[in-house]
Amino acid sequence: MPQLAILNQKGGVGKTTTAVNLSAALADLGNRVLLIDLDPQAHATLHLGVVPNDETTSVYDVLCRDADIAAVVQPINERLSLIPSSIDLAAAEVELAGEVGRELLLRDHLAKIADDYDYVLIDCAPSLGVLTLNALVAVDEVIIPLQPHFLALHGLSKLLETIEVVARRINGRLRLGGVVFCMFESGTRLANEVTRDVDSFFERVGERKTPWSEARPFRTRIRRNIRLAEAPSFGQSIFQYAADSHGAEDYRNLAKEFVAASGAGQGSHAHAA
Ligand code: ADP
Ligand code: MG
């Protein structure tokens, strides 16, 4: 069962939008999906209409208080579930500092419930700290959202280096599944130049065996669409908020492309439509 982290240490590139709407699209295709919000800002949690309060048990309780992970899962609809974040999670970095094996916590908790889902997605914080490390150890695949502007590739080598170190030392399964262009403005010269740069970047790195030698940009590009920016304030995925929008169409296509790509690699998607 594929487990993937949506990761880029930059903020504002489309991680949360992709994590929430790809999760919802995969669920709409008939899969049982769990989304874990691993960002203390709790944007994915809010996007799905869950407003954390003092009583909410969150991924913080799992990682720092050894809470039962199954008890923290909140159903969003028939097939989509969420493990919410909360602001407490900002303290995890410090609270776990002295803990031996702190980067293995999420993997070990997740193993108890992973069989209940066809896909597990993790929305990461914009950093490469202990929370993100927990995500990289728990998953088998990373998807990197990129915004096609001229600094798109800046910082990517640091991210790939981190993935390679985790793959070498702790999680041999880890690989880069691909990059997704978000907030894409087709027809602009800049977007075309950046996508060409990114394409040739991945063609070049493919010459050496790395966790990203097989990775490519997804063919589906997520166009800039105001409905995607509006949906979070209604606590709804794009499919509830504006099912006929370009945003819904693009994330539906991304989910299909993703299922086809991962199905070809593993052939294990009994529930995929
Ligand atoms: P990150 O999680 O990487 O910080 P977000 O997914 O929160 O990024 O996106 C940053 C901002 O851009 C949010 O306000 C979001 O609603 C908006 N946004 C994301 N993708 C799109 C898109 N394709 N079109 C328009 N706005 C978008
Ligand atoms: Mg985010």
Side-chain angles (χ1 to χ4, degrees), residues 11-12 14-17 37 39 41 43-44 123-126:
K15 287 184 294 297
T16 300
T17 307
D37 186 354
D39 183 350
Q41 297 178 97
H43 288 165
D123 184 28
C124 292

mmCIF file of all heavy atoms in Angstrom, residues 11-12 14-17 37 39 41 43-44 123-126, ligand 2:
data_model
loop_
_atom_site.group_PDB
_atom_site.id
_atom_site.type_symbol
_atom_site.label_atom_id
_atom_site.label_comp_id
_atom_site.label_asym_id
_atom_site.label_seq_id
_atom_site.Cartn_x
_atom_site.Cartn_y
_atom_site.Cartn_z
ATOM 1 N N GLY A 11 7.729 27.185 1.661
ATOM 2 C CA GLY A 11 6.303 27.380 1.927
ATOM 3 C C GLY A 11 5.615 27.960 0.698
ATOM 4 O O GLY A 11 6.260 28.520 -0.176
ATOM 5 N N GLY A 12 4.306 27.765 0.628
ATOM 6 C CA GLY A 12 3.519 28.421 -0.407
ATOM 7 C C GLY A 12 3.671 27.860 -1.804
ATOM 8 O O GLY A 12 3.364 28.533 -2.782
ATOM 9 N N GLY A 14 2.232 24.831 -2.761
ATOM 10 C CA GLY A 14 1.085 23.983 -3.109
ATOM 11 C C GLY A 14 1.077 22.621 -2.426
ATOM 12 O O GLY A 14 0.321 21.731 -2.835
ATOM 13 N N LYS A 15 1.882 22.448 -1.396
ATOM 14 C CA LYS A 15 1.905 21.159 -0.680
ATOM 15 C C LYS A 15 0.543 20.793 -0.111
ATOM 16 O O LYS A 15 0.015 19.708 -0.368
ATOM 17 C CB LYS A 15 2.884 21.207 0.519
ATOM 18 C CG LYS A 15 4.338 21.183 0.168
ATOM 19 C CD LYS A 15 5.196 21.141 1.426
ATOM 20 C CE LYS A 15 5.114 22.392 2.272
ATOM 21 N NZ LYS A 15 5.602 23.604 1.611
ATOM 22 N N THR A 16 -0.013 21.713 0.699
ATOM 23 C CA THR A 16 -1.255 21.395 1.389
ATOM 24 C C THR A 16 -2.409 21.228 0.400
ATOM 25 O O THR A 16 -3.214 20.303 0.507
ATOM 26 C CB THR A 16 -1.575 22.493 2.422
ATOM 27 O OG1 THR A 16 -0.496 22.533 3.359
ATOM 28 C CG2 THR A 16 -2.878 22.212 3.144
ATOM 29 N N THR A 17 -2.463 22.112 -0.579
ATOM 30 C CA THR A 17 -3.509 22.036 -1.603
ATOM 31 C C THR A 17 -3.440 20.683 -2.316
ATOM 32 O O THR A 17 -4.463 20.045 -2.584
ATOM 33 C CB THR A 17 -3.323 23.193 -2.608
ATOM 34 O OG1 THR A 17 -3.262 24.418 -1.864
ATOM 35 C CG2 THR A 17 -4.453 23.259 -3.608
ATOM 36 N N ASP A 37 -1.778 15.187 8.755
ATOM 37 C CA ASP A 37 -1.323 16.577 8.734
ATOM 38 C C ASP A 37 -0.141 16.713 9.681
ATOM 39 O O ASP A 37 -0.306 16.699 10.902
ATOM 40 C CB ASP A 37 -2.467 17.506 9.146
ATOM 41 C CG ASP A 37 -2.084 18.981 9.007
ATOM 42 O OD1 ASP A 37 -0.904 19.272 8.711
ATOM 43 O OD2 ASP A 37 -2.978 19.829 9.184
ATOM 44 N N ASP A 39 2.028 19.284 9.745
ATOM 45 C CA ASP A 39 2.482 20.676 9.810
ATOM 46 C C ASP A 39 1.766 21.362 10.981
ATOM 47 O O ASP A 39 0.530 21.359 11.021
ATOM 48 C CB ASP A 39 2.138 21.378 8.484
ATOM 49 C CG ASP A 39 2.634 22.819 8.437
ATOM 50 O OD1 ASP A 39 3.070 23.361 9.477
ATOM 51 O OD2 ASP A 39 2.589 23.413 7.341
ATOM 52 N N GLN A 41 1.048 24.217 11.465
ATOM 53 C CA GLN A 41 0.100 25.256 11.024
ATOM 54 C C GLN A 41 -1.297 24.689 10.788
ATOM 55 O O GLN A 41 -2.256 25.441 10.657
ATOM 56 C CB GLN A 41 0.594 25.898 9.728
ATOM 57 C CG GLN A 41 1.910 26.627 9.887
ATOM 58 C CD GLN A 41 2.391 27.215 8.564
ATOM 59 O OE1 GLN A 41 2.182 28.382 8.273
ATOM 60 N NE2 GLN A 41 3.027 26.383 7.746
ATOM 61 N N HIS A 43 -2.919 23.528 8.330
ATOM 62 C CA HIS A 43 -3.693 23.993 7.169
ATOM 63 C C HIS A 43 -4.510 22.877 6.518
ATOM 64 O O HIS A 43 -5.641 23.101 6.093
ATOM 65 C CB HIS A 43 -2.759 24.630 6.136
ATOM 66 C CG HIS A 43 -2.216 25.953 6.561
ATOM 67 N ND1 HIS A 43 -1.155 26.562 5.943
ATOM 68 C CD2 HIS A 43 -2.590 26.787 7.571
ATOM 69 C CE1 HIS A 43 -0.900 27.726 6.541
ATOM 70 N NE2 HIS A 43 -1.750 27.874 7.538
ATOM 71 N N ALA A 44 -3.938 21.681 6.447
ATOM 72 C CA ALA A 44 -4.680 20.569 5.832
ATOM 73 C C ALA A 44 -5.886 20.200 6.700
ATOM 74 O O ALA A 44 -6.970 19.891 6.186
ATOM 75 C CB ALA A 44 -3.763 19.359 5.635
ATOM 76 N N ASP A 123 1.023 15.456 4.705
ATOM 77 C CA ASP A 123 1.290 16.855 4.360
ATOM 78 C C ASP A 123 2.377 17.370 5.292
ATOM 79 O O ASP A 123 2.185 17.428 6.499
ATOM 80 C CB ASP A 123 0.017 17.696 4.515
ATOM 81 C CG ASP A 123 0.239 19.140 4.067
ATOM 82 O OD1 ASP A 123 1.094 19.369 3.193
ATOM 83 O OD2 ASP A 123 -0.451 20.040 4.601
ATOM 84 N N CYS A 124 3.535 17.715 4.739
ATOM 85 C CA CYS A 124 4.690 18.086 5.566
ATOM 86 C C CYS A 124 4.780 19.591 5.796
ATOM 87 O O CYS A 124 4.280 20.398 5.012
ATOM 88 C CB CYS A 124 5.975 17.614 4.886
ATOM 89 S SG CYS A 124 6.134 15.817 4.845
ATOM 90 N N ALA A 125 5.470 19.935 6.888
ATOM 91 C CA ALA A 125 5.755 21.334 7.199
ATOM 92 C C ALA A 125 6.879 21.824 6.283
ATOM 93 O O ALA A 125 7.660 21.027 5.771
ATOM 94 C CB ALA A 125 6.174 21.455 8.664
ATOM 95 N N PRO A 126 6.959 23.133 6.070
ATOM 96 C CA PRO A 126 8.032 23.668 5.225
ATOM 97 C C PRO A 126 9.366 23.726 5.963
ATOM 98 O O PRO A 126 9.899 24.796 6.245
ATOM 99 C CB PRO A 126 7.527 25.067 4.864
ATOM 100 C CG PRO A 126 6.603 25.439 5.972
ATOM 101 C CD PRO A 126 6.006 24.163 6.485
HETATM 102 MG MG MG B 2 1.098 23.738 3.810
#
